[in-house]
Amino acid sequence: MISKLPKWVEYGAFILALTAGCVNGIGLLGFEHQAISHLSGTATLIGTDLIKSHPAQLIHLSSILAGFFGGALLSGFILKDGTLSLGRRYDLLLLVEAALLLGAIYPMQHNAIYGLYLAAAACGIQNGLVTSYSGAIVRTTHITGIITDLGLMFGALLRGQPLNRRKLVLFLVIAVGFILGGTLSAIIFPLFGAYSFAAPAMVCVVLAMIYRIYMRQISVRLR
């Protein structure tokens, strides 16, 4: 089924992973050293804070989780599910993601941590945009599953099973994109601080515009 993936999926996955890696890097570099685009570490810290009795930290971490959940909930409400299908309102969700990232700038400038919750919601939206297509799991806000899948693939290769090159390319593209997003955050955050969120926000706006133009072209062809 993975062979049915259109070529543009790799490009889109790379750009979205780059965006998420950048957002996560900005959070880690500047604001409470807080991961934004994935929740495993956050969930672990919630568990430890239940024992250490740090209510303020517990509320903060729970709000990060709730923000991400709320973004994914919005994606599920608008898209119905996370299976890629052209014609759905991906452009709308990308614009909402951009608005949330831009909305995070002002509070982050004033050291108000609720800006992190907006950024987490943006990542939740993005992760809900495309979670599966043609049997492939496509996550762009974290790479734990990607690295696991790559390990499984190469383990199977050692047993003599053929390597699915298309799947390999897709997963490597996501992993490289996420890492480069972190690199980008390290470049722009020292220069622009909280305004660095504007960079991934603008990427989302451009993607939304490209998608809308593409869908219009398809609509014209079908008339």
mmCIF file of all heavy atoms in Angstrom, residues 179-216:
data_model
loop_
_atom_site.group_PDB
_atom_site.id
_atom_site.type_symbol
_atom_site.label_atom_id
_atom_site.label_comp_id
_atom_site.label_asym_id
_atom_site.label_seq_id
_atom_site.Cartn_x
_atom_site.Cartn_y
_atom_site.Cartn_z
ATOM 1 N N ILE A 179 14.911 16.865 12.609
ATOM 2 C CA ILE A 179 16.243 17.259 13.102
ATOM 3 C C ILE A 179 16.644 18.628 12.556
ATOM 4 O O ILE A 179 17.142 19.487 13.297
ATOM 5 C CB ILE A 179 17.286 16.194 12.725
ATOM 6 C CG1 ILE A 179 17.014 14.892 13.504
ATOM 7 C CG2 ILE A 179 18.698 16.694 13.014
ATOM 8 C CD1 ILE A 179 17.826 13.704 13.012
ATOM 9 N N LEU A 180 16.403 18.848 11.271
ATOM 10 C CA LEU A 180 16.746 20.137 10.679
ATOM 11 C C LEU A 180 15.892 21.262 11.255
ATOM 12 O O LEU A 180 16.343 22.410 11.346
ATOM 13 C CB LEU A 180 16.588 20.075 9.160
ATOM 14 C CG LEU A 180 17.618 19.226 8.419
ATOM 15 C CD1 LEU A 180 17.353 19.255 6.918
ATOM 16 C CD2 LEU A 180 19.032 19.721 8.712
ATOM 17 N N GLY A 181 14.666 20.927 11.644
ATOM 18 C CA GLY A 181 13.832 21.919 12.315
ATOM 19 C C GLY A 181 14.458 22.376 13.619
ATOM 20 O O GLY A 181 14.435 23.565 13.965
ATOM 21 N N GLY A 182 15.035 21.428 14.361
ATOM 22 C CA GLY A 182 15.754 21.783 15.581
ATOM 23 C C GLY A 182 16.958 22.657 15.284
ATOM 24 O O GLY A 182 17.255 23.611 16.021
ATOM 25 N N THR A 183 17.657 22.344 14.190
ATOM 26 C CA THR A 183 18.798 23.164 13.778
ATOM 27 C C THR A 183 18.358 24.591 13.462
ATOM 28 O O THR A 183 19.000 25.567 13.872
ATOM 29 C CB THR A 183 19.479 22.557 12.536
ATOM 30 O OG1 THR A 183 19.890 21.219 12.824
ATOM 31 C CG2 THR A 183 20.690 23.376 12.125
ATOM 32 N N LEU A 184 17.240 24.696 12.751
ATOM 33 C CA LEU A 184 16.706 26.020 12.408
ATOM 34 C C LEU A 184 16.357 26.814 13.662
ATOM 35 O O LEU A 184 16.644 28.014 13.749
ATOM 36 C CB LEU A 184 15.473 25.861 11.516
ATOM 37 C CG LEU A 184 14.758 27.152 11.118
ATOM 38 C CD1 LEU A 184 15.686 28.059 10.320
ATOM 39 C CD2 LEU A 184 13.498 26.832 10.323
ATOM 40 N N SER A 185 15.758 26.146 14.644
ATOM 41 C CA SER A 185 15.388 26.845 15.884
ATOM 42 C C SER A 185 16.618 27.382 16.603
ATOM 43 O O SER A 185 16.583 28.476 17.186
ATOM 44 C CB SER A 185 14.595 25.913 16.808
ATOM 45 O OG SER A 185 15.436 24.900 17.363
ATOM 46 N N ALA A 186 17.709 26.631 16.556
ATOM 47 C CA ALA A 186 18.945 27.076 17.210
ATOM 48 C C ALA A 186 19.549 28.288 16.514
ATOM 49 O O ALA A 186 20.278 29.071 17.134
ATOM 50 C CB ALA A 186 19.956 25.933 17.236
ATOM 51 N N ILE A 187 19.234 28.455 15.228
ATOM 52 C CA ILE A 187 19.738 29.602 14.480
ATOM 53 C C ILE A 187 18.891 30.847 14.736
ATOM 54 O O ILE A 187 19.419 31.944 14.978
ATOM 55 C CB ILE A 187 19.773 29.293 12.969
ATOM 56 C CG1 ILE A 187 20.783 28.177 12.685
ATOM 57 C CG2 ILE A 187 20.103 30.543 12.150
ATOM 58 C CD1 ILE A 187 20.739 27.661 11.256
ATOM 59 N N ILE A 188 17.570 30.680 14.700
ATOM 60 C CA ILE A 188 16.700 31.862 14.756
ATOM 61 C C ILE A 188 16.346 32.301 16.164
ATOM 62 O O ILE A 188 16.111 33.499 16.389
ATOM 63 C CB ILE A 188 15.406 31.632 13.935
ATOM 64 C CG1 ILE A 188 14.568 30.495 14.539
ATOM 65 C CG2 ILE A 188 15.745 31.344 12.479
ATOM 66 C CD1 ILE A 188 13.237 30.296 13.818
ATOM 67 N N PHE A 189 16.316 31.375 17.139
ATOM 68 C CA PHE A 189 15.883 31.781 18.469
ATOM 69 C C PHE A 189 16.825 32.800 19.117
ATOM 70 O O PHE A 189 16.352 33.777 19.717
ATOM 71 C CB PHE A 189 15.714 30.567 19.388
ATOM 72 C CG PHE A 189 15.221 30.951 20.756
ATOM 73 C CD1 PHE A 189 13.886 31.274 20.953
ATOM 74 C CD2 PHE A 189 16.088 31.023 21.834
ATOM 75 C CE1 PHE A 189 13.427 31.653 22.211
ATOM 76 C CE2 PHE A 189 15.641 31.405 23.082
ATOM 77 C CZ PHE A 189 14.306 31.718 23.268
ATOM 78 N N PRO A 190 18.153 32.641 19.034
ATOM 79 C CA PRO A 190 19.021 33.666 19.622
ATOM 80 C C PRO A 190 18.853 35.041 18.977
ATOM 81 O O PRO A 190 19.147 36.067 19.594
ATOM 82 C CB PRO A 190 20.432 33.115 19.378
ATOM 83 C CG PRO A 190 20.241 31.641 19.226
ATOM 84 C CD PRO A 190 18.919 31.504 18.523
ATOM 85 N N LEU A 191 18.363 35.070 17.737
ATOM 86 C CA LEU A 191 18.200 36.333 17.023
ATOM 87 C C LEU A 191 16.844 36.975 17.268
ATOM 88 O O LEU A 191 16.739 38.206 17.391
ATOM 89 C CB LEU A 191 18.377 36.105 15.510
ATOM 90 C CG LEU A 191 19.740 35.579 15.054
ATOM 91 C CD1 LEU A 191 19.707 35.264 13.561
ATOM 92 C CD2 LEU A 191 20.830 36.601 15.351
ATOM 93 N N PHE A 192 15.810 36.163 17.357
ATOM 94 C CA PHE A 192 14.454 36.707 17.370
ATOM 95 C C PHE A 192 13.639 36.353 18.616
ATOM 96 O O PHE A 192 12.536 36.872 18.794
ATOM 97 C CB PHE A 192 13.693 36.239 16.126
ATOM 98 C CG PHE A 192 14.375 36.587 14.844
ATOM 99 C CD1 PHE A 192 14.984 35.604 14.080
ATOM 100 C CD2 PHE A 192 14.430 37.893 14.396
ATOM 101 C CE1 PHE A 192 15.632 35.915 12.892
ATOM 102 C CE2 PHE A 192 15.068 38.219 13.208
ATOM 103 C CZ PHE A 192 15.676 37.232 12.451
ATOM 104 N N GLY A 193 14.139 35.477 19.460
ATOM 105 C CA GLY A 193 13.404 35.122 20.663
ATOM 106 C C GLY A 193 12.036 34.551 20.348
ATOM 107 O O GLY A 193 11.884 33.700 19.461
ATOM 108 N N ALA A 194 11.012 35.051 21.037
ATOM 109 C CA ALA A 194 9.653 34.536 20.860
ATOM 110 C C ALA A 194 9.142 34.734 19.438
ATOM 111 O O ALA A 194 8.300 33.965 18.958
ATOM 112 C CB ALA A 194 8.703 35.206 21.842
ATOM 113 N N TYR A 195 9.650 35.743 18.741
ATOM 114 C CA TYR A 195 9.223 35.978 17.365
ATOM 115 C C TYR A 195 9.621 34.829 16.445
ATOM 116 O O TYR A 195 9.157 34.761 15.301
ATOM 117 C CB TYR A 195 9.815 37.285 16.844
ATOM 118 C CG TYR A 195 9.111 38.521 17.363
ATOM 119 C CD1 TYR A 195 9.700 39.319 18.340
ATOM 120 C CD2 TYR A 195 7.859 38.886 16.878
ATOM 121 C CE1 TYR A 195 9.052 40.449 18.821
ATOM 122 C CE2 TYR A 195 7.200 40.013 17.348
ATOM 123 C CZ TYR A 195 7.811 40.792 18.318
ATOM 124 O OH TYR A 195 7.154 41.907 18.788
ATOM 125 N N SER A 196 10.464 33.932 16.919
ATOM 126 C CA SER A 196 10.856 32.770 16.121
ATOM 127 C C SER A 196 9.655 31.908 15.746
ATOM 128 O O SER A 196 9.681 31.209 14.723
ATOM 129 C CB SER A 196 11.880 31.929 16.887
ATOM 130 O OG SER A 196 13.030 32.676 17.191
ATOM 131 N N PHE A 197 8.590 31.961 16.567
ATOM 132 C CA PHE A 197 7.387 31.196 16.238
ATOM 133 C C PHE A 197 6.771 31.651 14.915
ATOM 134 O O PHE A 197 5.987 30.911 14.307
ATOM 135 C CB PHE A 197 6.341 31.321 17.352
ATOM 136 C CG PHE A 197 6.586 30.430 18.527
ATOM 137 C CD1 PHE A 197 6.627 30.955 19.813
ATOM 138 C CD2 PHE A 197 6.750 29.065 18.368
ATOM 139 C CE1 PHE A 197 6.848 30.131 20.907
ATOM 140 C CE2 PHE A 197 6.972 28.235 19.454
ATOM 141 C CZ PHE A 197 7.017 28.775 20.735
ATOM 142 N N ALA A 198 7.107 32.865 14.484
ATOM 143 C CA ALA A 198 6.547 33.366 13.229
ATOM 144 C C ALA A 198 7.052 32.560 12.035
ATOM 145 O O ALA A 198 6.343 32.441 11.025
ATOM 146 C CB ALA A 198 6.892 34.845 13.046
ATOM 147 N N ALA A 199 8.257 32.006 12.123
ATOM 148 C CA ALA A 199 8.812 31.243 11.003
ATOM 149 C C ALA A 199 7.991 29.994 10.698
ATOM 150 O O ALA A 199 7.522 29.820 9.556
ATOM 151 C CB ALA A 199 10.275 30.891 11.278
ATOM 152 N N PRO A 200 7.761 29.096 11.676
ATOM 153 C CA PRO A 200 6.913 27.945 11.364
ATOM 154 C C PRO A 200 5.477 28.336 11.049
ATOM 155 O O PRO A 200 4.804 27.655 10.264
ATOM 156 C CB PRO A 200 6.998 27.082 12.634
ATOM 157 C CG PRO A 200 7.467 27.994 13.709
ATOM 158 C CD PRO A 200 8.335 28.992 13.035
ATOM 159 N N ALA A 201 5.009 29.443 11.636
ATOM 160 C CA ALA A 201 3.648 29.900 11.320
ATOM 161 C C ALA A 201 3.526 30.269 9.853
ATOM 162 O O ALA A 201 2.539 29.912 9.181
ATOM 163 C CB ALA A 201 3.283 31.094 12.201
ATOM 164 N N MET A 202 4.527 30.974 9.320
ATOM 165 C CA MET A 202 4.498 31.365 7.915
ATOM 166 C C MET A 202 4.588 30.154 6.992
ATOM 167 O O MET A 202 3.991 30.134 5.911
ATOM 168 C CB MET A 202 5.630 32.341 7.622
ATOM 169 C CG MET A 202 5.451 33.716 8.251
ATOM 170 S SD MET A 202 3.884 34.525 7.756
ATOM 171 C CE MET A 202 2.859 34.238 9.222
ATOM 172 N N VAL A 203 5.330 29.146 7.427
ATOM 173 C CA VAL A 203 5.396 27.909 6.638
ATOM 174 C C VAL A 203 4.006 27.289 6.525
ATOM 175 O O VAL A 203 3.596 26.834 5.447
ATOM 176 C CB VAL A 203 6.382 26.910 7.277
ATOM 177 C CG1 VAL A 203 6.288 25.553 6.574
ATOM 178 C CG2 VAL A 203 7.805 27.429 7.192
ATOM 179 N N CYS A 204 3.269 27.280 7.622
ATOM 180 C CA CYS A 204 1.903 26.734 7.609
ATOM 181 C C CYS A 204 1.000 27.528 6.671
ATOM 182 O O CYS A 204 0.177 26.954 5.953
ATOM 183 C CB CYS A 204 1.321 26.746 9.022
ATOM 184 S SG CYS A 204 2.103 25.586 10.158
ATOM 185 N N VAL A 205 1.139 28.857 6.676
ATOM 186 C CA VAL A 205 0.332 29.702 5.792
ATOM 187 C C VAL A 205 0.638 29.391 4.335
ATOM 188 O O VAL A 205 -0.269 29.248 3.508
ATOM 189 C CB VAL A 205 0.587 31.196 6.097
ATOM 190 C CG1 VAL A 205 -0.089 32.075 5.044
ATOM 191 C CG2 VAL A 205 0.067 31.550 7.485
ATOM 192 N N VAL A 206 1.914 29.262 4.009
ATOM 193 C CA VAL A 206 2.316 28.958 2.622
ATOM 194 C C VAL A 206 1.783 27.594 2.202
ATOM 195 O O VAL A 206 1.264 27.429 1.088
ATOM 196 C CB VAL A 206 3.849 29.022 2.478
ATOM 197 C CG1 VAL A 206 4.280 28.496 1.115
ATOM 198 C CG2 VAL A 206 4.341 30.449 2.674
ATOM 199 N N LEU A 207 1.891 26.608 3.083
ATOM 200 C CA LEU A 207 1.367 25.277 2.768
ATOM 201 C C LEU A 207 -0.143 25.326 2.528
ATOM 202 O O LEU A 207 -0.653 24.665 1.615
ATOM 203 C CB LEU A 207 1.677 24.305 3.907
ATOM 204 C CG LEU A 207 3.098 23.760 3.990
ATOM 205 C CD1 LEU A 207 3.238 22.862 5.218
ATOM 206 C CD2 LEU A 207 3.471 22.995 2.738
ATOM 207 N N ALA A 208 -0.855 26.090 3.350
ATOM 208 C CA ALA A 208 -2.303 26.221 3.179
ATOM 209 C C ALA A 208 -2.639 26.839 1.829
ATOM 210 O O ALA A 208 -3.570 26.399 1.138
ATOM 211 C CB ALA A 208 -2.886 27.067 4.312
ATOM 212 N N MET A 209 -1.884 27.854 1.433
ATOM 213 C CA MET A 209 -2.119 28.499 0.145
ATOM 214 C C MET A 209 -1.833 27.546 -1.007
ATOM 215 O O MET A 209 -2.605 27.474 -1.974
ATOM 216 C CB MET A 209 -1.238 29.752 0.035
ATOM 217 C CG MET A 209 -1.606 30.863 1.001
ATOM 218 S SD MET A 209 -0.432 32.237 0.958
ATOM 219 C CE MET A 209 -0.583 32.749 -0.764
ATOM 220 N N ILE A 210 -0.733 26.797 -0.905
ATOM 221 C CA ILE A 210 -0.388 25.837 -1.963
ATOM 222 C C ILE A 210 -1.477 24.780 -2.093
ATOM 223 O O ILE A 210 -1.894 24.419 -3.203
ATOM 224 C CB ILE A 210 0.978 25.188 -1.673
ATOM 225 C CG1 ILE A 210 2.100 26.225 -1.804
ATOM 226 C CG2 ILE A 210 1.228 24.010 -2.609
ATOM 227 C CD1 ILE A 210 3.456 25.709 -1.380
ATOM 228 N N TYR A 211 -1.948 24.278 -0.966
ATOM 229 C CA TYR A 211 -2.989 23.253 -0.979
ATOM 230 C C TYR A 211 -4.273 23.791 -1.606
ATOM 231 O O TYR A 211 -4.909 23.117 -2.423
ATOM 232 C CB TYR A 211 -3.260 22.763 0.437
ATOM 233 C CG TYR A 211 -4.371 21.748 0.532
ATOM 234 C CD1 TYR A 211 -4.161 20.429 0.140
ATOM 235 C CD2 TYR A 211 -5.629 22.102 1.008
ATOM 236 C CE1 TYR A 211 -5.187 19.489 0.210
ATOM 237 C CE2 TYR A 211 -6.656 21.168 1.101
ATOM 238 C CZ TYR A 211 -6.431 19.868 0.692
ATOM 239 O OH TYR A 211 -7.443 18.953 0.762
ATOM 240 N N ARG A 212 -4.647 25.026 -1.229
ATOM 241 C CA ARG A 212 -5.876 25.608 -1.769
ATOM 242 C C ARG A 212 -5.768 25.810 -3.274
ATOM 243 O O ARG A 212 -6.711 25.513 -4.023
ATOM 244 C CB ARG A 212 -6.170 26.939 -1.079
ATOM 245 C CG ARG A 212 -7.506 27.543 -1.473
ATOM 246 C CD ARG A 212 -7.894 28.669 -0.541
ATOM 247 N NE ARG A 212 -8.155 28.183 0.807
ATOM 248 C CZ ARG A 212 -8.558 28.969 1.808
ATOM 249 N NH1 ARG A 212 -8.713 30.263 1.612
ATOM 250 N NH2 ARG A 212 -8.779 28.452 2.995
ATOM 251 N N ILE A 213 -4.641 26.292 -3.755
ATOM 252 C CA ILE A 213 -4.430 26.477 -5.198
ATOM 253 C C ILE A 213 -4.471 25.141 -5.920
ATOM 254 O O ILE A 213 -5.077 25.001 -6.991
ATOM 255 C CB ILE A 213 -3.087 27.190 -5.448
ATOM 256 C CG1 ILE A 213 -3.152 28.628 -4.940
ATOM 257 C CG2 ILE A 213 -2.732 27.167 -6.934
ATOM 258 C CD1 ILE A 213 -1.807 29.329 -4.929
ATOM 259 N N TYR A 214 -3.831 24.125 -5.315
ATOM 260 C CA TYR A 214 -3.800 22.792 -5.910
ATOM 261 C C TYR A 214 -5.212 22.227 -6.048
ATOM 262 O O TYR A 214 -5.568 21.658 -7.086
ATOM 263 C CB TYR A 214 -2.933 21.883 -5.058
ATOM 264 C CG TYR A 214 -2.810 20.466 -5.554
ATOM 265 C CD1 TYR A 214 -2.137 20.171 -6.735
ATOM 266 C CD2 TYR A 214 -3.370 19.412 -4.830
ATOM 267 C CE1 TYR A 214 -2.024 18.873 -7.184
ATOM 268 C CE2 TYR A 214 -3.258 18.107 -5.274
ATOM 269 C CZ TYR A 214 -2.589 17.841 -6.454
ATOM 270 O OH TYR A 214 -2.484 16.556 -6.901
ATOM 271 N N MET A 215 -6.035 22.394 -5.003
ATOM 272 C CA MET A 215 -7.392 21.877 -5.045
ATOM 273 C C MET A 215 -8.240 22.616 -6.075
ATOM 274 O O MET A 215 -9.100 22.024 -6.726
ATOM 275 C CB MET A 215 -8.031 21.969 -3.660
ATOM 276 C CG MET A 215 -7.427 21.028 -2.616
ATOM 277 S SD MET A 215 -7.317 19.307 -3.175
ATOM 278 C CE MET A 215 -9.041 18.948 -3.557
ATOM 279 N N ARG A 216 -7.997 23.903 -6.243
ATOM 280 C CA ARG A 216 -8.721 24.654 -7.267
ATOM 281 C C ARG A 216 -8.366 24.170 -8.656
ATOM 282 O O ARG A 216 -9.233 24.084 -9.549
ATOM 283 C CB ARG A 216 -8.410 26.148 -7.124
ATOM 284 C CG ARG A 216 -9.135 26.822 -5.948
ATOM 285 C CD ARG A 216 -8.787 28.286 -5.876
ATOM 286 N NE ARG A 216 -9.478 28.924 -4.757
ATOM 287 C CZ ARG A 216 -9.300 30.188 -4.392
ATOM 288 N NH1 ARG A 216 -8.428 30.943 -5.056
ATOM 289 N NH2 ARG A 216 -9.954 30.690 -3.369
#
